[in-house]
Amino acid sequence: MKIHEKILTHYLSCTSPVDKEGYLYKKKERTSSYQRRWFVLKANLLFYQERPADRHLLGVIVLEGCAIQHCESEGGLFAFSVVFRGSGLKTYRLAAENQLGQECWVKALLTASHCYLALLVRDLGKQYEAEAKRQAGPGESSQHSSVTGQSSEGLTQSMVSLNSCSSSFFMSVPVRTEGGNHRGSHVLQAPPMPSKVTSKRSPKLWPKRNAHVTPINGPVSAYGEWPQVDIDPLEDFTKLHEYYGEEVKQLRAEWLKRRQEGENYLEKDLIDLSEH
Amino acid sequence: RDLFYTNDVQSAIILLPGYPNSSLQPNATFKASVFVKKKLVKLVVNFLFYFRTDEEEPQGALLLEQCRVEREDSLVFSIAFLDEAERKYLFECDSQEQCQEWVDSIIKASYEFMRKNLIFYRTEIHRLTGKDPLEQYGIEDETRFQVTSGLQPVQKDN
C-alpha cells in the first residue's frame, strides 16, 4: 500500500506546529543495536530521519492504537517502546539519552493520537456549549460562535465512519523502490476505543486493537489475522483520561522517587511496566 | 486538471459507502482516453484510504492535512494538497447529500482542524469560566494544546 510520500513530507515541513522533535535512539530490529535518528512528532504522526536537515524521510509511525511502554534501561539509555499489538505488527524500541527526555517523549506520545484529540475536543465542545447556554440565560438563543457549527455532530459522523470498519487492513508502504521492497505490511485499523479500563499499570493495553503502522521503507512482515474491532465512539473522555492521568501520576511519582534515590540505582529496582 | 492516481490515463474515483464487502462493479467507460474506475474509499482518522475493487488491503492512502476540500459540482468534490495546488483528486458521489457529508467529514478529520477547535474551546471556556478546562486532565502544559499567538493566551493559574 502506498502512502503518498509527498503529502507526508509536505506536512512534515510545513508551518503547522511541531509537537516535539529531537534525537532518539531507535533499535534496529535484527541487530538490536541502537541508531540515532531525528524524530519529529506532529499531530498523530511520528516521523524519523537521519538528521534534522535531511529531506529524505526514513519512516513515519502513525500513533493510533498503540501503547507506550517503559523499558529497562539499556546501555545507559532510557528506553521505551511504541507497541502495536497484533500478529504481524511490530514494536518500535526507542531510547532517550536521559530520564527527562524519556519522560517528555512518553508523555507527548501518549497524548498524540487522533482519537484522543477527538474525544477531548468533543468533551470541551460540550462544556463550551453548556457554558455558553448557561451564560446566555433562559429564553435567549445562545449567540456563541463556534469554529464549526455542528462540531459534535460532525465528530459523531466521523466517529461513525470509523466505527464502520469492522476489519483491519494491511498496509505496505513502499516509498523508495530500492530492491523492490514493496512487501512491508503492517496492520492498520480504525482507532479503537477502550471498551473497558484495565487496571493494569502498563500504558493503555487495550484489548483487540491494531494500528496504523507505516514505516516508509519497512521490513517484510507476514500477513496476520484480521481481528474484530470493538469501537465505542461514545466512550467517555473523562474515563479515558482518568486512566491516563493515573498512569502519568504513577510514572511521575516513580521518576521523582528514583531521582531522589540518586544516580546509582540498581537495574532491578526499575519497575518493569511492560506487559510480560 | 489532473485526475486521480494515474499519469497518462485519467481516472476518477467514485465513492461508495464505507463497507468493505459492498459489491463493486468496476465501471470502465471509454471516452476519449478517460477511464472511470470505481474504488472504495474509506476515511479513517486523518487518512483517506482507497482500495482496488474487492480487495481488503488498501491500495493507497492520502494524509488529510494541509489540503483543501472543495465541492466541484453537485456530486463531485475534490481534494487538493497545498504543495501541488494544480493537482486535484476528484471524487464522485452517489448523491448530493453524500457529497456534502464527505466534504464535511474530510475537513473535520484533519488533526490540525481538530487542534484549532480544541484551542478555541479551551480559550472560550477559560474566558467564560475563568478556568482552564485542560487542568482537570493534567494536560494544560502539553505543547500540542497551546494557544497560538493569534488567539487570546490562556492564563495559567499556577
Side-chain angles (χ1 to χ4, degrees), chain B residues 16-34:
Chain B
L16 298 165
Y19 296 99
N21 55 359
S22 65
S23 62
L24 302 175
Q25 292 301 317
N27 181 12
T29 58
F30 293 79
K31 204 160 91 170
S33 85
V34 176

Side-chain angles (χ1 to χ4, degrees), chain B residues 36-52:
Chain B
V36 173
K37 280 187 202 159
K38 275 192 175 184
K39 287 183 191 291
L40 181 63
V41 178
K42 248 175 142 79
L43 176 62
V44 180
V45 292
N46 50 347
F47 282 90
L48 195 65
F49 291 95
Y50 55 92
F51 301 77
R52 288 192 190 91

